Amino acid sequence: MDYTKTAKSIVELVGGEENVQHMIHCMTRLRFNLHDIKKVDRKKMEKVPGVMGTNISGGQFQIIIGNDVPKVYTAILENSSIKADSKSKKSGNSKNVIASIFDVISGVFTPILPAIAGAGMIKGLLAIALTLGWLTNESQVYTILNAIGDGAFYFLPILLAVSAARKFGSSIYVAAAIGAALLHPTLTALLSSGEKVAFLGLPVTAVTYSSTVIPILLAIWIASYVEKWVDRIIPSMFKLIVVPTLTILIVVPVTLIAVGPLGNYLGNLLSFGVGALFEHGWIFAGLILGGTWSLIIMTGMHYAFLPIAMNNLATKGYDLILPSMFMANMGQAGATFAVSLRSKNKSFKSLAMTTSLTAVMGITEPAMYGVNMRLKKPFIGALIGGAVGGAYYSALGVKYYILGGNAGLPGIASFIGEGFVLAVLGFPIAFAAGAIATYLMGFEDVESDEEETTDGDQSKADGSSPDVIVAAEKLFSPLKGEVKPLSEVKDSTFSSGIMGKGFAIQPTEGKVVSPVTGRVTTIFKTKHAIGITSDNGAEILIHIGLDTVKLNGKHFTAHVKDGDFVDVGDTLVTFDLEAIKAEGYDLTTPIIITNPDRYQSIQPVKEGHVETRDAFMALLV
């Protein structure tokens, strides 16, 4: 990939530099806040090399790149005046309250995910070492490694404070100081002593702030307003010292007295609600959550679950929400795997297989946006896979113990504990369910650049044959009737060979079946003609009767649609033979190979009467 070229194309298609308010990136996506999202050309954007898909969520325009997103991000910064921290006070987009909340949660959590993921993985590896007896929890090595892995979680309020301050536009160092004050060992000891605590006569509720989420988010949100208010009323010569001093002196006590207890209460309430759902909803809780998790990700609402999950881990030692995310991801991986099996487009087939593997590893955006949503039906198959896996997990009470930061195979250590084996079995169950559902439903395949773009003629736009690889094969008769040379057809378009080479059949039964295993590339609205591409590259046109297009579909019934995969003998179209004859139409049916230049010869295998599924034409290379 030419990162510079891709970067320039992206900037142009989002409406230019002047349309960009702010740009960040996560593990797989570029995230743009734009002045006017209507200026984006999504259709052209999705054709840019390296772009796997696009999405709009929470007022953000998101471009799915995959593992190369940091390089594209850097190329944009280097080749434009866009800055990662640039924001505009003007915006053409108005957001509702819910979208704004999700945007805030997303903006706060995305930057700290690498730290949480790294620390979580260390905790997971440490848990494995303990389970296998490689370490004991009394050793100094364990103590040091545990501190390394647990540090990001214990001091999570400080990380969140810094990230939230960036999002709210306030001082990150003042925010860090507020978080540090709440975690100070002396204050922690006082609040956990069991004694009544008061500040200036106002009661302070005993709350443990380590590993909490909601209290610090509320505190820094308030701090952003306090800081701006103090900054407006303090003379410039005193701002440097007075503004941070007053902000910290106001916000920390307010948090201890009111905000902290409120945030802690909200966190416990949410945790209780989710716990009750899984306790009383049994199998349906996981089925619903696993089946809708991918939709939740699309809206950005998944970030709203992180505070709840973190609170569950901090208070209960386990969480029941995040296992559903694993199952949803495995469903996406399975669906994409099925696409790789069924797609006849070689480049797309390769893309599907690659994104399936990355989805198994927990990076699902390329699979979800680049493959499954693009084809529609595979996305439904992925949701089914997630629902089946989620139902399995909730039925057996599978728990998530460690926030590992990855909802794929590398994050499996997060389940180490009671029910670990059951958790592992859920991965292939969700994967298989998504794959089977997608394979059975089928989908409209992606056409390659070389494939046909006009009805009926399966050649390139310039009239040349497509650059496809073909192999010798036999065609089986699509009709019951009498085989005739194409030259005997009473239509010069066919008899002269302009459309291609082949043979004709005079039908004795009103049923057309597939002569090959392949894909339906075209079925005319009038249902009188069908185009099929075989697995071996043969492009076949079956034209039922002569001038029957004038019937406008009358007396014809289609049993397939564009993009359907078919096997030899599958019914394509049925028609009322006698009724069409009664209206004066010749039912001689040409079976044409529209890419004949790819074959050395096209020969008859059987002459005279044929039954459906009889071999009747040979294509030699």
Side-chain angles (χ1 to χ4, degrees):
M1 184 197 307
D2 186 333
Y3 300 111
T4 299
K5 187 175 180 181
T6 296
K8 290 179 178 178
S9 297
I10 287 173
V11 172
E12 177 186 350
L13 294 173
V14 295
E17 297 177 18
E18 64 279 1
N19 195 37
V20 179
Q21 297 179 53
H22 180 54
M23 178 187 70
I24 61 173
H25 78 86
C26 56
M27 294 181 72
T28 58
R29 283 181 268 190
L30 293 170
R31 298 168 177 264
F32 286 89
N33 286 80
L34 304 172
H35 292 292
D36 186 357
I37 208 164
K38 295 179 181 178
K39 291 183 178 181
V40 175
D41 190 333
R42 291 185 70 176
K43 189 173 182 180
K44 288 185 178 179
M45 183 72 77
E46 292 177 354
K47 294 181 179 179
V48 172
V51 174
M52 295 181 175
T54 61
N55 185 46
I56 296 176
S57 176
Q60 279 187 340
F61 179 67
Q62 303 171 359
I63 304 173
I64 297 87
I65 302 294
N67 295 333
D68 288 329
V69 68
K71 295 177 182 177
V72 177
Y73 175 79
T74 300
I76 291 175
L77 296 182
E78 291 176 349
N79 292 278
S80 71
S81 61
I82 296 173
K83 302 298 180 184
D85 58 350
S86 63
K87 295 182 180 180
S88 172
K89 294 180 181 179
K90 298 178 182 180
S91 174
N93 296 333
S94 59
K95 299 180 184 177
N96 59 39
V97 175
I98 299 299
S100 298
I101 291 173
F102 290 146
D103 182 49
V104 168
I105 295 175
S106 170
V108 170
F109 276 92
T110 297
I112 71 170
L113 285 179
I116 295 175
M121 191 56 63
I122 292 170
K123 288 172 69 69
L125 294 173
L126 192 57
I128 293 174
L130 279 176
T131 302
L132 297 177
W134 297 343
L135 288 175
T136 66
N137 55 12
E138 297 176 354
S139 69
Q140 293 180 347
V141 173
Y142 172 84
T143 300
I144 293 173
L145 289 176
N146 187 56
I148 294 172
D150 200 46
F153 296 97
Y154 184 87
F155 294 102
L156 182 62
I158 296 178
L159 297 178
L160 288 171
V162 171
S163 186
R166 286 186 184 275
K167 185 67 179 176
F168 296 136
S170 56
S171 170
I172 61 173
Y173 301 107
V174 171
I178 293 171
L182 297 175
L183 295 173
H184 195 280
T186 303
L187 180 59
T188 300
L190 177 64
L191 294 176
S192 60
S193 65
E195 301 177 3
K196 289 185 177 181
V197 180
F199 180 76
L200 299 177
L202 298 172
V204 174
T205 304
V207 173
T208 301
Y209 291 96
S210 60
S211 303
T212 58
V213 174
I214 296 180
I216 194 66
L217 292 179
L218 293 174
I220 303 307
W221 177 63
I222 292 172
S224 68
Y225 286 97
V226 171
E227 184 177 314
K228 292 170 185 174
W229 173 71
V230 174
D231 185 73
R232 283 199 301 268
I233 64 175
I234 298 298
S236 298
M237 62 184 300
F238 300 116
K239 287 181 187 291
L240 181 63
I241 295 178
V242 176
V243 172
T245 300
L246 289 179
T247 301
I248 295 171
L249 275 177
I250 293 171
V251 174
V252 173
V254 168
T255 302
L256 292 172
I257 295 167
V259 175
L262 174 62
N264 186 64
Y265 172 77
L266 291 175
N268 289 336
L269 184 64
L270 290 171
S271 178
F272 174 79
V274 172
L277 174 64
F278 277 88
E279 182 178 351
H280 301 292
W282 189 54
I283 192 172
F284 298 103
L287 185 145
I288 294 170
L289 194 56
T292 59
W293 193 271
S294 294
L295 297 172
I296 291 171
I297 289 176
M298 289 170 58
T299 65
M301 290 174 61
H302 60 297
Y303 286 103
F305 286 91
L306 282 175
I308 305 172
M310 289 182 179
N311 186 71
N312 288 338
L313 291 170
T315 57
K316 298 179 178 179
Y318 66 85
D319 175 64
L320 296 172
I321 299 174
L322 296 182
S324 296
M325 180 166 59
F326 281 78
M327 295 298 91
N329 288 355
M330 290 305 105
Q332 293 289 343
T336 316
F337 178 73
V339 170
S340 74
L341 295 180
R342 292 204 62 163
S343 178
K344 299 302 184 293
N345 182 315
K346 290 189 175 181
S347 61
F348 194 71
K349 189 183 191 78
S350 176
L351 172 67
M353 178 59 74
T354 301
T355 56
S356 177
L357 293 175
T358 59
V360 168
M361 302 305 289
I363 309 299
T364 58
E365 284 88 345
M368 184 164 71
Y369 293 109
V371 177
N372 295 336
M373 286 186 65
R374 183 175 178 181
L375 299 179
K376 298 180 180 65
K377 284 186 178 180
F379 186 69
I380 297 173
L383 299 183
I384 292 172
V388 171
Y392 165 81
Y393 267 8
S394 61
L396 298 178
V398 172
K399 297 180 177 66
Y400 181 93
Y401 298 99
I402 302 165
L403 190 63
N406 183 290
L409 200 57
I412 202 167
S414 300
F415 294 97
I416 291 179
E418 182 184 356
F420 177 70
V421 174
L422 297 176
V424 173
L425 292 175
F427 282 59
I429 288 174
F431 183 96
I436 293 171
T438 300
Y439 197 88
L440 293 178
M441 285 191 296
F443 51 85
E444 183 175 351
D445 203 1
V446 173
E447 292 186 0
S448 64
D449 292 338
E450 295 83 7
E451 285 185 347
E452 163 59 4
T453 57
T454 59
D455 288 343
D457 180 5
Q458 298 180 7
S459 60
K460 288 184 186 177
D462 63 4
S464 63
S465 297
D467 299 323
V468 296
I469 298 173
V470 297
E473 67 178 315
K474 289 183 180 180
L475 269 63
F476 298 87
S477 178
L479 290 155
K480 180 187 294 187
E482 297 291 320
V483 178
K484 300 172 59 175
L486 203 59
S487 58
E488 294 183 10
V489 175
K490 297 175 182 178
D491 186 321
S492 60
T493 302
F494 296 108
S495 61
S496 65
I498 293 175
M499 295 291 293
K501 296 180 180 179
F503 299 88
I505 294 177
Q506 187 68 46
T508 57
E509 184 182 69
K511 180 180 179 181
V512 180
V513 302
S514 177
V516 292
T517 296
R519 179 172 62 89
V520 176
T521 51
T522 305
I523 181 158
F524 283 60
K525 292 181 180 180
T526 51
K527 307 167 193 173
H528 77 290
I530 310 104
I532 302 176
T533 301
S534 77
D535 286 351
N536 290 318
E539 296 176 352
I540 306 153
L541 174 64
I542 303 172
H543 196 285
I544 308 168
L546 306 179
D547 291 327
T548 46
V549 64
K550 297 176 181 178
L551 290 170
N552 199 30
K554 184 181 178 183
H555 306 309
F556 290 91
T557 302
H559 298 272
V560 292
K561 59 183 180 301
D562 289 1
D564 281 357
F565 290 89
V566 290
D567 292 321
V568 173
D570 285 354
T571 301
L572 303 177
V573 174
T574 53
F575 55 95
D576 190 331
L577 186 144
E578 297 302 328
I580 296 174
K581 283 183 178 180
E583 293 202 32
Y585 290 93
D586 184 349
L587 275 170
T588 301
T589 300
I591 296 94
I592 306 293
I593 306 302
T594 58
N595 59 339
D597 55 320
R598 293 296 171 180
Y599 300 95
Q600 287 188 1
S601 65
I602 298 173
Q603 300 178 354
V605 173
K606 186 176 181 180
E607 297 178 344
H609 181 78
V610 289
E611 298 285 332
T612 54
R613 300 175 67 94
D614 282 352
F616 88 112
M617 188 190 306
L619 311 180
L620 304 179
V621 294

